[in-house]
Amino acid sequence: MKAKTPEQSKTTLTDMVLPGETNPLNNLFGGELLARMDRAASIAARRHSRRIVVTASVNHVAFNRAVPLGSVVTVEAKVSRAFNTSMEIYIDVWMEDRESGAKTKANEAIYTFVAVDETGRPVKVPEVIPETDLEIARFEAALRRKQLSLLLAGKIKPNDATELKALFD
């Protein structure tokens, strides 16, 4: 199985915020944005693994800026790291100013997907080879995030979270 770069999984979804997708303040519903991010992450995971993929967890979501009605929203997803059968997908959400066209980062998220076969059993995925400084930073941090998640879920013991322990040594 040949390793792939994050760029090979890059998925970009661009759409406009319509009235039926907004809350009483005329901003995009958070749940609507979560659905858009899940779709982009799913496509990125599928591009990386070339398998059926399922959402395993939403590890982090930051709603940093409200996205107003009429905004053009771009959701960009890339696989940041692959483990045995799972993949971490890092998602950046950009909002385009209606008048100037300037793009501003509005939100970000980290999802985990698992590749499965036709019966739903997890299958191995290719490794990730990060290329840019940002991809390398996200790749390295992914192992710490995974260990923290496993630790909080009680699936590993604190002494086994070697990457997390290294932060405090």
Side-chain angles (χ1 to χ4, degrees), residues 49-69:
S49 66
R50 289 296 168 202
R51 302 298 289 224
I52 298 166
V53 295
V54 295
T55 310
S57 65
V58 177
N59 305 356
H60 169 76
V61 177
F63 294 109
N64 297 321
R65 295 181 190 254
V67 181
L69 174 66

Side-chain angles (χ1 to χ4, degrees), residues 89-142:
I89 294 53
Y90 209 103
I91 304 156
D92 295 303
V93 179
W94 303 91
M95 176 171 58
E96 191 175 313
D97 183 83
R98 286 179 257 181
E99 294 179 17
S100 71
K103 290 186 178 182
T104 304
K105 187 168 179 181
N107 304 295
E108 64 183 11
I110 302 170
Y111 283 47
T112 299
F113 276 76
V114 174
V116 297
D117 65 16
E118 292 73 18
T119 66
R121 292 191 179 151
V123 294
K124 190 161 177 51
V125 297
E127 292 181 34
V128 171
I129 302 171
E131 296 178 308
T132 68
D133 290 342
L134 180 59
E135 289 170 356
I136 291 166
R138 288 177 173 179
F139 177 89
E140 291 172 352

Side-chain angles (χ1 to χ4, degrees), residues 18-50:
L18 301 174
E21 302 166 329
T22 61
N23 63 25
L25 296 173
N26 282 326
N27 293 319
L28 181 64
F29 276 119
E32 174 63 33
L33 182 57
L34 288 170
R36 292 179 187 196
M37 291 188 292
D38 193 50
R39 281 192 292 275
S42 174
I43 295 167
R46 178 125 189 184
R47 284 180 173 163
H48 181 79
S49 66
R50 289 296 168 202

